[in-house]
Amino acid sequence: MKFTQVGSACDFSFLDFSFDEHLNAARTSSKMAAPEFCSFFLEKKKRFCKMMVSRGRRFCGEHATMEEGSSSRRIVCPLDPKHTVYYVANINAGSADGDECQQQVSLSERSRTELHSLLDKLRTAVTDLQCNVEDNVMCHPVLQGELNNPKNGDSAHKHLKQQSSILGHLEELGLLGGGRCFVEFGAGRGKLSHWIHEALKTCEDLQLLLVERCSTRFKVDGKHQDVGVQFERLQVDIQHLDLSKVPLLRKKNLPLVGVGKHLCGAATDLALRCLLDTPGLREETEPPPKRLKTSEPAAGPDTGSVFNDTGLVSDPGPVSGAVLGLAVALCCHHRCEWRHYVGQQFFLQRGLGASEFSAFCRISSWATCGLRPTNQDATKLGGDEEEHEAAEETDAVNGFLSAAEREQVGRLCKLLIDSGRVHFLTTKGFNSKLSRYADAHVTLENVLLTAVPSLRPLS
């Protein structure tokens, strides 16, 4: 290449394109993509796709259907042919039939008589609940190094403790293993999936699917591009996500484990429907086998099931297309919505409806906000306020009950709402429970919802 000398500097004016353009020109000139990038050639842009690929793959997740031997079929989006369809409007939103459009009434607008009536209904509804919240703070050794790292500040330390406990619960339930796909709902930066991968990076047939509706900065996804594990992210609202149409899940049809850390409000209900009510998944998943009595013969060798002395499956292992279980940390009950709520039948059985549900959602904010009027030190609120959307100030009722009483009432509202979710999971053939997975000084939103098929009792 010839350069023109001008004084003591060289004239590069003839280079009228950027380094990136030069790199693309070099790549397209030979019609060969760099090995770490997708091999799909974009005719309109006259370049290869810039998405990175997993080891041993030639195409990214968007163009995976071009892979040789792939049985997947690309479904064209009716709104934009460039999009692959896993978006189905309101598929997980719940039925709009009979949806009661209640006028939202703040607690400060209600009379003392109305508030006392709501408290009476609440106490009656929780009287015979069979759903207790157990203290069960756990940990997992894969995070021990980071927990002991002095460079991590208080905020990072609190997040690590929660992630460690969630992994501990997954392991205790037999859900932390290979041969399955972990779906993290409300993934944010993807730290929970990151630690699941760290705990299982030696396992085979491991997939991690991260679902987040917002564009997120400082994602950990880039740390997992050079490993054999399939680590993919979908930017879509859970309300519109049809898991049965996601290309990654259709490749191997691995069983699913749902996870989430602080899945706010209605997002929990949307995630439960996404996992358990998606039509395509329901068709591919056979109903759970019946509970065997001890006198009945165990399943044959082709099922791989192992029965213990009680006649229950101790570790059924991966079942193709099935949902193996879930572990979701709950929060922000004041953001729940009646239409999305999976426990509607549970409420109706107790003589409660959309109006009471809306009021209880608002009152639930007292569990974490009830101490604010007493000017308590903000550090006692758990230091996680930035993770959650605060309740409306109009839901603070001055002079009604003491701060301690308001906090207790808020906890009862959360328990009632979560009991409806446990009831929903029971109707779907799952054994579910609620646990306090972290200390209150770590986070006030410290309840974890876990579930496994009824054949595998929760310990």
Side-chain angles (χ1 to χ4, degrees), residues 221-235:
D221 307 35
K223 297 180 180 180
H224 303 278
Q225 296 295 337
D226 59 344
V227 295
V229 175
Q230 294 173 299
F231 197 99
E232 294 191 11
R233 177 181 291 264
L234 301 180
Q235 186 174 334

Side-chain angles (χ1 to χ4, degrees), residues 168-196:
H169 279 269
L170 288 170
E171 187 168 58
E172 183 186 52
L173 297 171
L175 298 177
L176 195 63
R180 60 204 66 189
C181 175
F182 290 87
V183 183
E184 183 181 359
F185 295 98
R189 294 172 60 192
K191 280 296 188 72
L192 183 57
S193 290
H194 165 75
W195 288 116
I196 290 173

Side-chain angles (χ1 to χ4, degrees), residues 47-107:
R47 63 168 175 80
F48 287 94
C49 172
K50 292 183 178 181
M51 296 295 288
M52 297 185 75
V53 298
S54 301
R55 182 179 297 173
R57 299 284 181 181
R58 293 183 56 232
F59 297 94
C60 66
E62 179 63 25
H63 302 119
T65 54
M66 305 297 295
E67 200 81 44
E68 232 177 273
S70 172
S71 58
S72 301
R73 180 174 61 89
R74 188 177 187 275
I75 304 171
V76 178
C77 173
L79 303 178
D80 187 341
K82 293 182 292 184
H83 295 167
T84 302
V85 175
Y86 45 74
Y87 176 103
V88 179
N90 295 316
I91 186 172
N92 304 313
S95 175
D97 296 340
D99 186 23
E100 301 179 40
C101 298
Q102 293 285 332
Q103 182 179 0
Q104 296 297 312
V105 181
S106 67
L107 297 179

Side-chain angles (χ1 to χ4, degrees), residues 100 142 163 266 339 366 421:
E100 301 179 40
V142 75
Q163 291 154 357
R339 179 188 175 183
W366 293 355
R421 291 163 169 165

Side-chain angles (χ1 to χ4, degrees), residues 152-177:
N152 288 320
D154 289 342
S155 178
H157 201 253
K158 289 178 179 181
H159 289 296
L160 289 168
K161 280 188 173 181
Q162 295 171 65
Q163 291 154 357
S164 180
S165 185
I166 292 174
L167 260 68
H169 279 269
L170 288 170
E171 187 168 58
E172 183 186 52
L173 297 171
L175 298 177
L176 195 63

Side-chain angles (χ1 to χ4, degrees), residues 189-228:
R189 294 172 60 192
K191 280 296 188 72
L192 183 57
S193 290
H194 165 75
W195 288 116
I196 290 173
H197 167 259
E198 288 300 300
L200 302 175
K201 55 186 176 184
T202 59
C203 296
E204 296 182 358
D205 277 344
L206 178 64
Q207 296 176 335
L208 294 121
L209 180 68
L210 289 70
V211 180
E212 174 59 59
R213 67 179 179 178
C214 303
S215 178
T216 308
R217 299 179 65 193
F218 309 118
K219 298 185 289 288
V220 300
D221 307 35
K223 297 180 180 180
H224 303 278
Q225 296 295 337
D226 59 344
V227 295

